[in-house]
């Protein structure tokens, strides 16, 4: 890859704007055509995408299909199915005081949208927002992650072939290129990544008053008390945690349960890990690797000196960390966040290490969650409806999922996004289309019956009373 210069980045964005200004991205037929082009890009190059994901993350073809390719294709198909209905102008009510008048909401695209993606799901997290961006009639500039270089290079090669008119453009690179991109004016920015970089993105966007969708991370907690369905629940928990070697924004980050439940839960997790990735996950073709040595060092430092009850084996040369479970000691006031007693509780783990934090009760777990940033997801494994309600009503998170993990990401009918420190704005399905569309109110008040006179001076008492009643 030859790094793009500031002038070539400026030119790329100007070209995307020029195309948007030409109006060619707006007609419904053009949007549908672009969604089909994206579909073709993915389906016609699926083996190459799978190979790139294997190179970058040791992601197996099965996992790549499930978590990157099929999710994106489902998003495209869902959007194609509903786009005509979403894009239809809608009638809007007008209060009696303004009668006679008619109003409608006219959806219009925003313009040029920048999509910045992370490395952990480098296909899905770049293309899924793009589906909504194109469906809404915008043009797009994509910035894939430099830390998934094989995927980034492949996407940079394929996009110009499938979007020959330049409706979608790719800028490859790291911090310098992203900084140059962020100096440009966009009409919306979708950023997926860490909160720290999210702050940089939002600061840069503020200079142009550009709205942002920030898809960030955080520590997604788990409450576990489902003794009756222990093994089924543990299998789902292990799958959600250790898929992509734990490098998932919505991966269960830590588990809270009562001390008495921990031994049985650990046994069930061990059984689940063996069932899913074999007795030695290092030899499993379905178990991923850590993206780079920097991340490997960060994750291993988090549990350095802590005895693992499951796993714990690491190999830096291979960037392998076994599915690992650590049980933390009982403390009086368990805390999560920078002030926590154990490093595993101080920051998002973002790797295959699952700490179990003993707490007295579900109410206690609620307090732990509420003492720090609002998480991106909260997972509750319980057979008690009362406990489910407790977490739904007394905590705030991007989403709550009962009896499973990760699966809400694939629910095209649900908005996906964080709240508070885990992000702002949401996308997927209609929520994507809505995020990248301006619903423009258009109101017509015919001149024929000039009822507006009532609101104009000179004011009469009778006229004002009548208006007040109508309002
Ligand atoms: P990151 O924030 O380091 O990088 C994301 C993107 O920002 C990359 O494209 C990178 O090139 C760019 N970038 C990095 N530093 C920059 C800087 N100083 N200035 C401008 N741009 C910069 O994130 P990451 O390490 O790729 O991903 C890990 C984080 O992302 C985790 O916190 C995870 O939870 C979060 N995440 C969130 C979601 C979600 O959907 N909410 C999905 C995946 C990952």
């Amino acid at each position: 890859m030859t790094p793009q210069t500031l002038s070539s980045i400026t030119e790329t964005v100007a070209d995307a704007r020029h195309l948007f200004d030409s109006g060619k991205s707006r007609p419904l037929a053009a949007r549908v055509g672009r969604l089909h082009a994206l579909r073709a890009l993915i389906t016609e190059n699926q083996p190459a995408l799978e190979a790139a994901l294997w190179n970058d993350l040791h992601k197996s073809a099965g996992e790549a299909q499930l978590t990157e390719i099929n999710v994106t294709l489902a998003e495209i198909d869902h959007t194609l199915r509903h786009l005509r209905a979403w894009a239809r102008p809608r009638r809007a009510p007008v209060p009696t005081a303004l009668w006679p008048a008619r109003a409608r909401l006219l959806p219009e695209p925003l313009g040029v949208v920048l999509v910045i993606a992370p490395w952990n799901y480098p296909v899905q997290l770049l293309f899924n927002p793009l589906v909504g961006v194109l469906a809404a009639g915008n043009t797009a500039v994509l910035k894939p992650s430099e830390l998934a270089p094989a995927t980034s290079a492949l996407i940079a090669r394929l996009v110009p072939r499938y979007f020959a008119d330049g409706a979608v453009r790719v800028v490859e690179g790291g911090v310098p290129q992203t900084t140059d991109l962020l100096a440009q004016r966009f009409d919306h920015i979708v950023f997926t990544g860490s909160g720290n970089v999210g702050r940089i993105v939002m600061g840069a966007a503020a200079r142009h008053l550009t709205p942002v969708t920030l898809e960030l991370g955080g520590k997604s907690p788990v409450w576990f008390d489902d003794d009756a369905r222990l093994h089924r629940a543990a299998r789902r928990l292990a799958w959600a945690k250790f898929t992509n070697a734990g490098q998932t924004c919505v991966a269960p980050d830590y588990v809270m349960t009562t001390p008495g439940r921990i031994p049985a839960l650990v046994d069930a997790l061990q059984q689940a890990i063996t069932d899913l990735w074999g007795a030695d996950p290092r030899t499993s073709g379905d178990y991923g690797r850590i993206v780079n040595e920097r991340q490997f060092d960060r994750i291993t430092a988090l549990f350095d000196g802590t005895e693992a009850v499951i796993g714990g084996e690491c190999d830096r040369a291979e960037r392998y960390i076994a599915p690992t479970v650590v049980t933390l000691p009982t403390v009086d006031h368990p805390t999560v966040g920078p002030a926590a007693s154990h490093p595993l509780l101080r920051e998002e783990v973002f790797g295959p290490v699952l700490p179990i934090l003993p707490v007295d009760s579900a109410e206690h777990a609620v307090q732990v969650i509420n003492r720090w940033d609002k998480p991106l997801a909260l997972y509750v494994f319980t057979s008690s409806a009362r406990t489910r309600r407790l977490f739904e009503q007394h905590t705030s998170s991007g989403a709550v999922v009962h009896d499973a993990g990760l699966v809400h990401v694939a629910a095209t009918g649900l908005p996906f996004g964080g709240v508070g420190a885990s992000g702002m704005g949401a996308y997927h399905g209609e929520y994507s289309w809505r995020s990248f569309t301006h619903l423009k109110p258009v109101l017509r008040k015919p001149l024929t019956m000039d009822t507006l006179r009532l609101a104009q001076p000179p004011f009469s008492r009778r006229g004002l009373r009548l208006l007040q009643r109508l309002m």
Side-chain angles (χ1 to χ4, degrees):
M1 170 191 83
T2 333
Q4 285 206 22
T5 58
L6 175 59
S7 67
S8 74
I9 287 173
T10 308
E11 202 179 312
T12 299
V13 180
D15 288 348
R17 184 163 301 287
H18 187 67
L19 184 70
F20 178 76
D21 290 343
S22 75
K24 288 186 184 144
S25 62
R26 284 177 178 240
L28 193 63
R31 304 178 192 197
V32 168
R34 297 213 159 106
L35 292 174
H36 281 296
L38 182 59
R39 199 174 204 296
L41 184 158
I42 296 168
T43 52
E44 289 169 14
N45 299 283
Q46 188 169 327
L49 286 166
E50 286 169 13
L53 290 165
W54 176 264
N55 267 334
D56 287 332
L57 290 151
H58 203 273
K59 205 172 270 197
S60 69
E63 196 175 307
Q65 283 161 27
L66 207 68
T67 63
E68 304 250 25
I69 290 166
N70 295 353
V71 172
T72 311
L73 293 179
E75 178 80 3
I76 296 173
D77 293 344
H78 177 79
T79 304
L80 282 169
R81 211 170 305 127
H82 297 285
L83 183 55
R84 193 171 292 278
W86 297 339
R88 214 172 277 144
R90 303 139 208 224
R91 286 277 296 276
V94 178
T96 4
L98 289 179
W99 281 1
R102 286 176 80 120
R104 68 209 149 93
L105 294 173
L106 187 64
E108 64 178 17
L110 299 174
V112 185
V113 180
L114 171 64
V115 182
I116 305 177
W119 47 264
N120 58 340
Y121 291 88
V123 175
Q124 195 223 127
L125 294 174
L126 192 70
F127 286 160
N128 245 8
L130 179 64
V131 175
V133 168
L134 295 176
N138 302 287
T139 59
V141 177
L142 306 180
K143 215 300 281 172
S145 173
E146 73 281 17
L147 301 180
T151 312
S152 173
L154 177 65
I155 288 173
R157 214 173 58 240
L158 293 177
V159 162
R161 273 204 241 149
Y162 287 81
F163 297 93
D165 66 352
V168 182
R169 285 152 198 273
V170 179
V171 172
E172 279 197 280
V175 177
Q177 289 73 23
T178 317
T179 307
D180 289 347
L181 265 172
L182 288 171
Q184 315 295 316
R185 182 172 72 81
F186 289 94
D187 300 289
H188 196 97
I189 299 176
V190 191
F191 169 80
T192 304
S194 62
N196 285 340
V197 182
R199 285 175 176 85
I200 296 173
V201 170
M202 200 168 166
R207 286 199 289 276
H208 297 287
L209 289 180
T210 297
V212 290
T213 301
L214 299 181
E215 296 286 338
L216 310 176
K219 291 182 85 61
S220 295
V222 177
W223 168 254
F224 183 89
D225 72 6
D226 198 348
D227 308 319
R229 299 171 302 176
L230 172 67
H231 286 275
R232 200 174 286 182
R235 187 182 166 101
R236 289 188 176 188
L237 176 55
W239 170 74
K241 174 66 193 180
F242 299 113
T243 287
N244 201 25
Q247 301 164 111
T248 304
C249 56
V250 284
D253 189 273
Y254 63 103
V255 179
M256 285 183 284
T257 190
T258 50
R261 290 193 167 93
I262 293 178
L265 176 59
V266 170
D267 286 349
L269 283 170
Q270 176 66 78
Q271 180 67 55
I273 291 165
T274 311
D275 289 350
L276 293 166
W277 295 285
D280 181 8
R282 185 200 298 253
T283 58
S284 164
D286 290 323
Y287 186 69
R289 294 295 182 269
I290 305 306
V291 68
N292 56 33
E293 285 168 358
R294 201 176 128 240
Q295 288 293 328
F296 178 93
D297 293 341
R298 183 190 63 79
I299 298 163
T300 48
L302 291 179
F303 69 105
D304 200 21
T306 308
E307 186 88 37
V309 286
I310 298 176
E313 303 82 17
C314 308
D315 180 346
R316 192 170 192 267
E318 242 195 84
R319 288 179 277 114
Y320 169 78
I321 301 178
T324 296
V325 178
V326 169
T327 57
L328 300 175
T330 307
V331 291
D332 281 345
H333 296 288
T335 311
V336 166
S341 54
H342 195 283
L344 278 168
L345 297 178
R346 285 185 206 142
E347 61 179 80
E348 181 181 358
V349 176
F350 215 56
V353 186
L354 182 65
I356 301 180
L357 176 64
V359 292
D360 296 339
S361 61
E363 286 76 10
H364 203 179
V366 166
Q367 288 169 13
V368 173
I369 294 167
N370 289 341
R371 277 203 285 265
W372 198 44
D373 289 346
K374 293 179 181 179
L376 187 55
L378 165 65
Y379 303 117
V380 180
F381 290 87
T382 184
S383 17
S384 153
R386 196 195 75 82
T387 305
R388 280 196 288 273
R389 266 199 312 278
L390 173 78
F391 283 98
E392 285 171 22
Q393 293 174 1
H394 295 277
T395 65
S396 177
S397 55
V400 176
V401 180
H402 297 299
D403 300 334
L406 311 190
V407 291
H408 60 301
V409 176
T412 42
L414 295 179
F416 179 71
V419 56
S422 54
M424 65 178 69
Y427 72 118
H428 284 192
E430 188 171 3
Y431 297 92
S432 285
W433 179 83
R434 184 66 197 85
S435 288
F436 310 129
T437 293
H438 170 53
L439 279 186
K440 183 166 67 181
V442 177
L443 187 141
R444 178 159 186 238
K445 173 134 185 74
L447 284 160
T448 37
M449 272 179 74
D450 200 4
T451 51
L452 263 186
R453 275 178 180 260
L454 284 175
Q456 295 164 355
F459 297 113
S460 74
R461 250 212 310 228
R462 239 184 87 224
L464 285 175
R465 257 206 313 274
L466 180 61
L467 259 187
Q468 198 178 14
R469 265 217 306 281
L470 290 172
M471 283 165 99

